[in-house]
Amino acid sequence: MQISSDSNIVTDLDAIHALLRAENEHILLYDTGAIARHENGYHATDHFILDTYNLTSVVFMTETIYNELNMDDKFNLRYQIYLDKFDSIAVIAEEDFFSFFSSVITNQHKAFSLMVHAAKKAFQLLPSLKQRIEQCKDYTDLHRSYNQYFIGSREKNKGEFSLLFLSNLLLLAYPNKKHRFISIDKDVYDIVDNCYLRQSAIREQIAENVKRDVSIFSTDTLLSSDILEKRIDDTNYSTLFQHFRQPERKVMYKVYERSILTEGIKSDSFSNDEFLNKVRKKDIQVIY
């Protein structure tokens, strides 16, 4: 990574710890698909869709996510201009995860044991990788197994799984932070849901006597908040939806029935007008 000294991107591990010790309430784990969609919308409309989170948040990326954005390429200045809207963006290389984590959990044996637990939790949908990790003797071995798995398999979501692994480590090191995944990919929802949000994951939290505040937001989730909080002028919805929304994308939502939110999650595509009307009338609550 070749990062300018005047950039808001932070790679020094001590500086990242300082950001986490500061009064930042949220950790935003931002994947490449959402960044690309939001960057395009920002340049077309000048609307910063995460503005309400910027003052209370630090954006986190792994080196895999950073490299997927190809940020070092001079032709990708659009990404740099958009990401400059954030106060701080922490980028951690996967090979540095143990150095980062063990500066908080200083007992090396305990730190590695916790990292294995975090990795197994993050990669539970990848059973062969999880099995390899169970055999690892140190982090060098774990990192090698992680890289070899994604090189040798057809799994395309390395960036998203790297964010999930990082999230699990951050929750162990800084358990009071609120984690917000930002994505537009259904695969990412399934990965995060399986790890944190399903009943089995919640039961595990209860058994471990821990409470994790983790959510995942899509562009439609963020736009629905803007609608309900009236942060957008009525005359601007058409332009914003044109550049931010994908009407063909299925929205995950719950239905209000006589002002009572029903339990089942539904999934349907909505035109821009349908989406605006259903959210504004509180017919639905957008989940993702």
Side-chain angles (χ1 to χ4, degrees):
M1 291 183 292
Q2 300 174 354
I3 296 172
S4 154
S5 59
D6 61 352
S7 170
N8 63 339
I9 295 175
V10 182
T11 57
D12 178 78
L13 299 184
D14 289 337
I16 292 172
H17 281 299
L19 286 174
L20 287 163
R21 288 191 294 268
E23 294 182 5
N24 293 303
E25 183 181 8
H26 297 94
I27 288 172
L28 302 184
L29 298 127
Y30 213 170
D31 88 343
T32 47
I35 291 171
R37 170 65 53 176
H38 297 167
E39 168 271 316
N40 180 71
Y42 170 72
H43 283 288
T45 67
D46 203 35
H47 180 66
F48 182 33
I49 198 167
L50 285 166
D51 185 49
T52 55
Y53 278 95
N54 192 26
L55 295 178
T56 63
S57 309
V58 179
V59 175
F60 269 79
M61 295 182 193
T62 60
E63 187 175 33
T64 296
I65 293 289
Y66 182 91
N67 289 340
E68 286 177 358
L69 292 171
N70 201 16
M71 288 277 288
D72 293 333
D73 191 318
K74 65 181 180 180
F75 296 107
N76 279 341
L77 289 174
R78 288 171 60 96
Y79 285 135
Q80 295 177 29
I81 292 168
Y82 171 67
L83 292 171
D84 277 345
K85 297 289 291 180
F86 294 98
D87 288 341
S88 300
I89 297 174
V91 180
I92 307 180
E94 288 95 312
E95 65 181 342
D96 292 331
F97 278 8
F98 186 72
S99 296
F100 174 80
F101 187 61
S102 61
S103 65
V104 177
I105 310 298
T106 54
N107 181 302
Q108 300 285 293
H109 178 75
K110 181 179 180 181
F112 180 66
S113 177
L114 287 171
M115 286 199 77
V116 169
H117 177 75
K120 287 165 61 179
K121 185 174 178 63
F123 303 135
Q124 57 190 298
L125 290 177
L126 308 175
S128 61
L129 175 56
K130 181 181 174 183
Q131 187 174 23
R132 290 187 201 182
I133 286 169
E134 290 172 342
Q135 308 303 316
C136 292
K137 303 300 183 185
D138 56 31
Y139 188 66
T140 300
D141 194 15
L142 192 156
H143 182 245
R144 184 188 305 113
S145 295
Y146 161 82
N147 276 332
Q148 287 176 345
Y149 174 83
F150 284 101
I151 291 170
S153 76
R154 296 180 179 179
E155 175 56 55
K156 65 183 185 300
N157 290 319
K158 181 182 180 182
E160 290 77 4
F161 276 108
S162 73
L163 282 179
L164 188 61
F165 186 16
L166 177 59
S167 169
N168 274 276
L169 293 176
L170 289 170
L171 281 168
L172 289 170
Y174 297 93
N176 295 325
K177 299 294 184 183
K178 300 176 180 179
H179 288 214
R180 302 293 180 255
F181 286 83
I182 313 296
S183 181
I184 57 175
D185 189 336
K186 179 60 165 59
D187 286 350
V188 180
Y189 180 89
D190 291 339
I191 290 167
V192 175
D193 178 62
N194 184 77
C195 184
Y196 289 127
L197 306 178
R198 291 187 183 175
Q199 287 299 317
S200 57
I202 293 170
R203 284 195 297 270
E204 180 183 318
Q205 292 179 43
I206 294 170
E208 294 175 356
N209 196 28
V210 295
K211 186 177 181 180
R212 303 184 182 101
D213 190 337
V214 179
S215 297
I216 179 166
F217 298 156
S218 67
T219 304
D220 284 331
T221 317
L222 297 168
L223 288 171
S224 70
S225 174
D226 284 339
I227 293 167
L228 293 171
E229 297 293 328
K230 299 181 179 178
R231 286 190 289 264
I232 303 171
D233 186 276
D234 282 358
T235 59
N236 292 333
Y237 282 118
S238 176
T239 301
L240 289 179
F241 286 179
Q242 177 185 348
H243 293 286
F244 280 98
R245 287 203 76 234
Q246 299 166 279
E248 70 281 2
R249 178 187 175 274
K250 288 195 173 182
V251 179
M252 297 174 64
Y253 65 96
K254 292 185 177 183
V255 174
Y256 281 101
E257 188 175 284
R258 297 183 179 180
S259 300
I260 299 171
L261 189 64
T262 57
E263 282 298 315
I265 296 177
K266 299 178 180 293
S267 178
D268 287 296
S269 300
F270 297 122
S271 71
N272 290 340
D273 287 341
E274 286 176 319
F275 180 78
L276 177 61
N277 290 331
K278 286 181 179 293
V279 172
R280 182 179 276 164
K281 293 177 180 178
K282 296 186 179 179
D283 290 337
I284 65 172
Q285 180 187 83
V286 177
I287 305 300
Y288 184 70

